[in-house]
Each structure stands twice: as structure tokens, then as C-alpha cells.
Amino acid sequence: MVERFPVLDLGHRPKISPAGWRLTLKGAVERPQRIDRTQLNTLPMVDITCDIHCVTRWTRLDVPWRGVRLRDVLALAGPRPEARHALLHGMDGYSANLPLELLMADDTLLAIAADGKPLGTEHGGPVRALVPSRYFWKSSKWLVAISLHADDEPGFWETRGYHNEGDPFREQRYAGSKT
Ligand SMILES: Nc1nc2c(c(=O)[nH]1)N[C@H]1C(S)=C(S)[C@@H](COP(=O)(O)O)O[C@H]1N2
Ligand SMILES: [Mo]
């Protein structure tokens, strides 16, 4: 268990100002979009508290987050019927894949704040993904694009030996895990 908030990434931390941030919604969507912060702010803000689990075995309990539900953002683009999978792209060249179903979950957010403060660059600010039901590697920092796909495509860690699904309660850390 950790008290402070560890920082973990590939080491290149892109500086993005809130005003300069854009999110591209592309792939299997009816209406491709480029969303800015003003549009994001028109969507309902929600507060959730959740635990985060890094695959390298640290866990931080009861982190308060604020953000917009990813499904509300996706509704602006309208997933096409064949869309089943998604990639969440970070500005550092990172990506993580998830089933579209999980992007629709109540607690899957585009987070803009944690611990009562706007997200700092080190934690993926101004906007990161937050997917509480998966290991934290699925929560892309510096989120700048979401692409929807008919077929599953592995992301950065999923092509480097991490489990495709990454459910912490099933301990799905690495590819080859039995669950
Ligand atoms: N864009 C991007 N997102 C990322 C990463 C990264 O390297 N780049 N690392 C992932 C991993 S492995 C973890 S554990 C968490 C760490 O988030 P934190 O630095 O805010 O603790 O971010 C995830 N999201
Ligand atoms: Mo991680």
C-alpha cells in the first residue's frame, strides 16, 4: 500500500496546457470529433473515489477523482455498430486497449482532477483516462485520442507481455496468466 501518489510512465512527459488540449475521437465512429476543454466542460462532472492498482504491485486506496464519464464523451462521436474495441492514446506515444463495453462503464472517466487538485503533468494532466476496474496501466495519461475498432488491437504494454484484459481482481498481470 502506498500513501503518496507514485509516478510511472515512459519518461517523456508532454506539457499540454488545458487550453491547448484536444481529444480526437476516430475510427469506427459516426461523427469523428476534436474536442476541446470548453466542450468537455459542458458535460456532467462526476466525483468518484476508487483504489488504483499498478501491475508492479503497488496499490493506492481511496483516491478521489473528478472527471467526465467517457461514455458521455463518446456519445458526441456515436460509436458505429461494428465498434467493439478501443485504444486510448497518450501524447507520449503510449496506448492501452479496452473493450468498448468498459468505456461505457459508470466509473470509467476522463479525469481532470485527483486529490482535489487539477491533474499535474506528472499524473497525465490536463486530462487522463481513469479505468478503476483494470490495472492502472490501462488508464492512459495525457489522453489525446480514442480510436474505436471492430477488432481488438493490443496497446503499448499489451504488445510487451502484459495481459490483454488486466483485471486486478483476477490478477491478470501478464500474458499467459491462466484467467
Ligand atoms: N500516456 C501514458 N499513460 C500511462 C503510462 C505511460 O507511460 N504513458 N503508464 C501507465 C502505468 S504503467 C501506470 S501504473 C500509471 C501510472 O500513473 P501515475 O504516474 O499517475 O501514478 O499510468 C499509466 N498510464
Ligand atoms: Mo503500472
Side-chain angles (χ1 to χ4, degrees), residues 3-173:
E3 292 294 329
R4 65 186 180 88
F5 197 167
V7 174
L8 230 103
D9 51 47
L10 307 174
H12 345 273
R13 302 209 177 109
K15 289 251 183 311
I16 314 171
S17 70
W21 175 82
R22 298 287 182 279
L23 177 69
T24 303
L25 304 176
K26 60 185 182 181
V29 294
E30 305 285 0
R31 302 170 296 279
Q33 302 280 317
R34 258 189 117 209
I35 290 168
D36 65 13
R37 194 50 187 269
T38 314
Q39 280 167 287
L40 196 67
N41 288 344
T42 64
L43 299 171
M45 284 289 162
V46 296
D47 290 291
I48 67 166
T49 297
C50 69
D51 304 339
I52 52 186
H53 308 280
C54 174
V55 72
T56 59
R57 296 176 187 266
W58 57 266
T59 281
R60 212 190 131 205
L61 299 179
D62 296 329
V63 186
W65 297 90
R66 164 164 290 184
V68 168
R69 287 202 177 94
L70 204 42
R71 66 161 181 251
D72 291 344
V73 176
L74 277 180
L76 301 173
R80 285 213 300 259
E82 71 271 21
R84 291 280 179 280
H85 300 274
L87 278 166
L88 306 179
H89 304 269
M91 193 156 189
D92 55 345
Y94 189 84
S95 60
N97 60 322
L98 288 164
L100 178 60
E101 201 182 348
L102 245 159
L103 266 50
M104 300 299 183
D106 271 351
D107 61 354
T108 298
L109 303 187
L110 248 76
I112 59 159
D115 298 312
K117 299 185 296 257
L119 275 184
T121 299
E122 73 280 17
H123 291 302
V127 181
R128 79 176 294 163
L130 174 67
V131 188
S133 56
R134 291 295 179 261
Y135 278 118
F136 208 25
W137 90 75
K138 294 285 188 183
S139 294
S140 271
K141 310 209 276 191
W142 311 294
L143 189 68
V144 288
I146 300 174
S147 51
L148 301 191
H149 310 265
D151 300 314
D152 198 9
E153 280 180 39
F156 182 86
W157 283 119
E158 295 82 6
T159 52
R160 290 167 175 79
Y162 280 20
H163 196 282
N164 198 55
E165 274 110 73
D167 180 345
F169 294 98
R170 302 174 74 190
E171 303 215 29
Q172 294 172 329
R173 292 189 172 85

